[in-house]
Amino acid sequence: MAARRALHFVFKVGDRARTARFYRELLGMRAFRAGARGSSGSPPDPERAVALQVLRHEEFEEGCKATCNGPYDGKWSKTMVGYGPEDNHFVVELTYNYGVGEYRLGNDFLGITLVSSQAVSNAKKMEWPLKEVTSGVFETEAPGGYKFYLEDKEQLKQDPVWKVTLGVSNLQKSVSYWSGLLGMKIYEKDEEKQRALLGYADNQCKLELRAVGGAVDHGTAFGRIAFSCAKDELPSIEALMKKENQKILTPLVSLDTPGKATVQVVILADPDGHEVCFVGDEAFRELSQVDPHGDKLLDDAMAADNSDQWFAEHNRKKVSA
């Protein structure tokens, strides 16, 4: 098995402006533009570096063939945000369906944990709701109700995003799927607390599975976790799932992004229905290059989106999915 990488988690968002503010100003997600060096060629100086909170932003006129934006056929956008380039950081994909104002949460997504005292400080300064759940760990929510856990420690020099936590109905069955079929290493397993921590590499974001004591409800806000692998592995992953009678949501397909690389993906569902995307690494690295215009593209798209004003003038509300 060639090296596999944890890439991103996909959220559906209804309020793009408030969501952008959360990631930009509270979490402080940013990347450094190539060439933004300190004196004498030293590493980038945070006071001088150019903040690219948005790694890339793309607009689409119709729904994705792999349902990246959920089961919607209309216009939508994709915004990638993170603490650095997608080559070596776990990032977040924000999908916005024009005309959909909110989504119902389930118990499937239990949170993203990251290490950043700066994010804790930012939340306090912004007076964003913040609750200390254990010593030095604070819970907050992104617009839409998605939970984030902020460890009040100095931000890691590598990727501050530590783990994504998903709810499961049967811990052993889920561990067998993610480890036995998808090849993840088991880092921790606690039968008493009904949780397990898995991952593909020590220096990558981990996947935590936690039993929820019943069935997993995905609501309409359900997300998707994505990984990359060698393109040549995709057919074998699909074949293995067929052999093991596991669910395949989207058989191997090519996805086009206007003006960018075409990638191949296969979308799976784990025993609890969590969506799992595997994408060919070679083309994805080309597709996911940081766009220096990403921030402006998002801001321009939000400025041109008059849907909130239109609904208000017509005394109507956006659709609740």
Side-chain angles (χ1 to χ4, degrees):
M1 182 187 300
R4 294 180 180 179
R5 291 193 297 134
L7 298 178
H8 56 256
F9 193 83
V10 182
F11 292 109
K12 298 184 189 74
V13 302
D15 188 329
R16 199 163 45 170
R18 287 190 68 240
T19 298
R21 181 170 181 250
F22 175 84
Y23 285 93
R24 285 168 158 170
E25 299 180 26
L26 194 154
L27 295 186
M29 285 191 168
R30 63 189 63 213
F32 293 110
R33 180 175 292 154
R37 308 293 292 179
S39 59
S40 304
S42 59
D45 179 348
E47 297 301 320
R48 299 176 58 199
V50 180
L52 295 181
Q53 296 95 331
V54 175
L55 302 172
R56 53 190 174 101
H57 176 81
E58 295 145 8
E59 295 278 331
F60 301 87
E61 294 300 321
E62 58 184 25
C64 172
K65 287 191 291 184
T67 63
C68 306
N69 61 315
Y72 306 98
D73 294 330
K75 184 178 179 180
W76 66 288
S77 73
K78 173 198 298 184
T79 308
M80 311 301 292
V81 293
Y83 287 107
E86 294 175 66
D87 273 356
N88 51 19
H89 289 76
F90 188 86
V91 307
V92 167
E93 176 179 322
L94 305 172
T95 61
Y96 172 71
N97 291 292
Y98 286 79
V100 181
E102 60 182 356
Y103 301 88
R104 183 179 67 82
L105 294 173
N107 62 356
D108 53 342
F109 173 78
L110 300 182
I112 286 180
T113 302
L114 54 92
V115 179
S116 175
S117 57
Q118 185 61 56
V120 174
S121 176
N122 292 343
K124 291 177 178 178
K125 289 177 182 177
M126 296 168 65
E127 299 184 346
W128 200 278
L130 197 65
K131 178 174 68 175
E132 190 167 15
V133 289
T134 59
S135 179
V137 179
F138 294 83
E139 177 187 291
T140 190
E141 291 185 2
Y146 304 112
K147 292 186 184 298
F148 281 76
Y149 295 91
L150 314 177
E151 290 202 13
D152 194 8
K153 297 178 182 177
E154 183 178 353
Q155 188 165 305
L156 301 175
K157 291 183 180 179
Q158 62 268 30
D159 191 354
V161 182
W162 177 38
K163 65 181 179 181
V164 175
T165 304
L166 300 179
V168 300
S169 60
N170 183 311
L171 183 64
Q172 185 53 52
K173 187 175 183 180
S174 293
V175 169
S176 296
Y177 179 90
W178 287 93
S179 177
L181 294 181
L182 296 185
M184 278 191 163
K185 174 183 175 181
I186 301 173
Y187 284 86
E188 300 173 12
K189 189 176 180 185
D190 189 327
E191 293 286 357
E192 183 178 349
K193 294 183 178 179
Q194 283 289 285
R195 60 173 292 274
L197 189 71
L198 303 94
Y200 281 121
D202 295 352
N203 63 346
Q204 291 184 22
C205 176
K206 304 300 185 294
L207 172 66
E208 181 181 48
L209 304 174
R210 188 186 303 164
V212 295
V216 174
D217 173 17
H218 294 273
T220 59
F222 61 90
R224 174 181 292 177
I225 191 164
F227 304 90
S228 71
C229 65
K231 182 181 70 172
D232 294 343
E233 279 191 32
L234 292 171
S236 61
I237 290 174
E238 183 175 11
L240 176 62
M241 294 301 144
K242 289 179 179 178
K243 177 185 174 184
E244 298 295 329
N245 295 315
Q246 298 295 326
K247 193 168 185 178
I248 299 172
L249 298 175
T250 303
L252 187 57
V253 65
S254 294
L255 300 181
D256 298 323
T257 299
K260 296 187 178 182
T262 295
V263 298
Q264 289 188 313
V265 305
V266 59
I267 314 294
L268 314 174
D270 85 344
D272 287 296
H274 291 291
E275 295 193 0
V276 186
C277 172
F278 277 93
V279 56
D281 189 73
E282 301 86 343
F284 186 79
R285 286 184 184 272
E286 182 182 345
L287 169 70
S288 62
Q289 293 300 301
V290 176
D291 183 350
H293 305 295
D295 260 310
K296 185 177 186 303
L297 289 172
L298 173 59
D299 288 339
D300 288 349
M302 290 193 295
D305 180 6
N306 297 317
S307 58
D308 288 336
Q309 179 183 342
W310 186 93
F311 278 92
E313 289 176 351
H314 290 77
N315 197 30
R316 294 172 59 183
K317 289 186 177 181
K318 287 186 175 182
V319 173
S320 295

